[in-house]
Amino acid sequence: MLEDVERWLSTRSWSAEDRPLEKLMAAKRSTGSTVSVVLPALDEEETVGGIVAVIRRELMTAGAPLVDEVVVIDSGSTDRTSEVAAAAGARVVHRDEILPRVPALPGKGEVLWRSLLVTRGDIVAFVDADLKDFSADFVSGIVGPLLTDPGVHLVKAMYDRPLGAAAGQGGRVTELMARPLLNMHWPRLAGFVQPLGGEYAARRSLLERLPFPVGYGVELGMLVDALHLVGLDALAQVDVGVRRHRHQDGQALGRMAAAIYRTAQLRLARGHLVRPSLTQFERGERGFEPRTYAVDVEERPPMTEIAEYEERRAA
C-alpha cells in the first residue's frame, strides 16, 4: 500500500506553477469546459468581498475567462456578507431559496450540496470564504488538472497552514482526527496533505453522484466516496502555497472532530451511531458545567436522485 501512495504522490501531486494560465485557457477552449466557483459563506463580510474581487479581476476578464461564474451561497449570515459579496461581483444565493421543499439543515455540507442546483459549470470549485491573503492560484491551481487531464476527477489544494506566527501548526483536526483515520482505514488516501481543506474542485459528473454529509464531515466523506467511485488515480492535489484563515477555538474543533469521526464510522460500518452527541465542559459559577451538542447525523443523497436537478439537466 505504501508503494501505491508513493507512486500516486509522484504522479498526482503538482504545483500551481506547473500549469500557467495560458495553458489552462488553451485547454478550456479545446475541451469547451465551463467552470463554476462556489463560496459557502456564513458571516464572512470581512473576507468574502476580497476573494470574489480577486477571482473576477484575474480569472474572469476578457483576456483570461477561466471562470464562468462565481456564486456565494449565504447560509444565514447576520452581517453584511451578502451585500459585500454582491458588490464585489458575485451572484449571491441564499441557502433557503434553493430546493425549498426540502427544509435546510445547518452545516457546510448542506450548502455545498445545494450549490449544485444553482451552478452550471462542468467543473465546480469550492473555496472557503474566510481566506486571508487570497491568491487566484487557489482556483486556477485546483481547476488546472481537471482541464488538462481527462483522467482526473477531483483535485484538493495543499498548502502550509500557520497558526498565528507558528508555521505548520494549523489543521489541528486534520492531524489529530482525519489523518489517523485515513491512514488506518483508507491508507490509499494517506498521501493527501490537506484532506479536510475547503479548497477543491471536481467534475460535476462526480459530484452529482456523491452523498453529502451536511456538516463538517463533508470533505472526508467526499474523499472516501470518490476513492470508491473513481479510484485513486482519478484524485490529485496541487500545492498553492500558504493558507491563512480564521481559526476555531478548541471546543469548536472538538465538535468538528466528532462530526468527522461519525462520517468515517458510517462509511466503515454503514451502521448506526452509538451516541450521536458530544459532551464538552466549560467552567461556570459552580465549577465545570457540561454542554452537550448533537453530532451531524444527516447526509444528503446524490444529486442525481433529486427530481428538480434532473429536470434542470434535461431543460
Side-chain angles (χ1 to χ4, degrees):
M1 196 64 69
L2 181 60
E3 291 179 357
D4 287 344
V5 174
E6 290 178 346
R7 178 191 55 79
W8 179 84
L9 282 169
S10 66
T11 61
R12 285 292 186 262
S13 293
W14 298 293
S15 167
E17 298 175 353
D18 293 336
R19 294 175 176 82
L21 190 56
E22 297 78 11
K23 181 177 181 178
L24 299 187
M25 289 309 310
K28 187 173 190 285
R29 287 190 294 269
S30 67
T31 61
S33 299
T34 52
V35 177
S36 300
V37 176
V38 172
L39 280 73
L42 177 63
D43 295 331
E44 303 293 357
E45 66 176 3
E46 294 185 4
T47 50
V48 68
I51 297 172
V52 171
V54 170
I55 293 172
R56 289 197 60 86
R57 183 176 66 247
E58 299 188 27
L59 302 177
M60 298 183 71
T61 64
L66 184 71
V67 172
D68 297 281
E69 61 176 351
V70 55
V71 182
V72 170
I73 311 292
D74 191 326
S75 58
S77 298
T78 58
D79 64 3
R80 298 183 61 252
T81 290
S82 291
E83 293 88 340
V84 170
R91 177 161 62 95
V92 178
V93 184
H94 292 270
R95 176 199 61 194
D96 296 350
E97 297 173 356
I98 307 170
L99 199 63
R101 72 170 176 84
V102 179
L105 295 169
K108 179 183 179 181
E110 177 83 354
V111 175
L112 301 185
W113 181 71
R114 289 175 185 260
S115 75
L116 297 180
L117 271 162
V118 293
T119 54
R120 293 193 174 276
D122 304 307
I123 295 168
V124 182
F126 299 116
V127 176
D128 282 349
D130 66 343
L131 299 188
K132 303 172 183 178
D133 303 323
F134 176 77
S135 164
D137 286 347
F138 274 77
V139 174
S140 59
I142 58 178
V143 167
L146 296 163
L147 289 171
T148 59
D149 189 335
V152 174
H153 289 255
L154 184 149
V155 182
K156 297 280 292 190
M158 56 177 168
Y159 30 64
D160 295 316
R161 294 186 67 180
L163 181 61
Q169 296 302 306
R172 290 161 288 173
V173 176
T174 293
E175 300 304 331
L176 296 175
M177 176 59 71
R179 198 177 308 287
L181 281 172
L182 292 176
N183 275 264
M184 287 186 289
H185 299 295
W186 296 281
R188 284 181 293 171
L189 296 174
F192 277 95
V193 175
Q194 297 292 351
L196 300 185
E199 288 68 49
Y200 50 98
R203 300 189 189 281
R204 178 176 294 270
S205 57
L206 171 62
L207 292 172
E208 65 189 13
R209 292 187 289 154
L210 295 174
F212 276 63
V214 300
Y216 284 115
V218 63
E219 274 86 22
L220 183 133
M222 190 176 295
L223 264 187
V224 171
D225 293 339
L227 175 67
H228 289 293
L229 269 178
V230 295
L232 180 61
D233 285 340
L235 313 180
Q237 60 185 351
V238 172
D239 188 349
V240 297
V242 179
R243 184 187 198 268
R244 302 181 189 277
H245 64 110
R246 184 184 68 253
H247 290 283
Q248 304 275 5
D249 62 36
Q251 292 206 334
L253 296 179
R255 296 190 289 275
M256 292 170 62
I260 289 161
Y261 179 75
R262 178 264 168 193
T263 301
Q265 182 190 49
L266 181 62
R267 279 152 180 77
L268 285 168
R270 294 294 170 183
H272 67 283
L273 186 63
V274 176
R275 185 170 180 260
S277 61
L278 174 72
T279 299
Q280 298 177 318
F281 294 88
E282 299 177 7
R283 185 182 290 279
E285 294 180 359
R286 300 182 180 180
F288 285 102
E289 301 174 354
R291 300 283 189 272
T292 299
Y293 301 88
V295 174
D296 297 318
V297 296
E298 295 289 339
E299 294 200 4
R300 294 305 192 188
M303 193 55 79
T304 51
E305 297 179 12
I306 301 300
E308 289 89 338
Y309 185 78
E310 289 300 288
E311 292 169 2
R312 180 174 174 272
R313 285 208 309 177

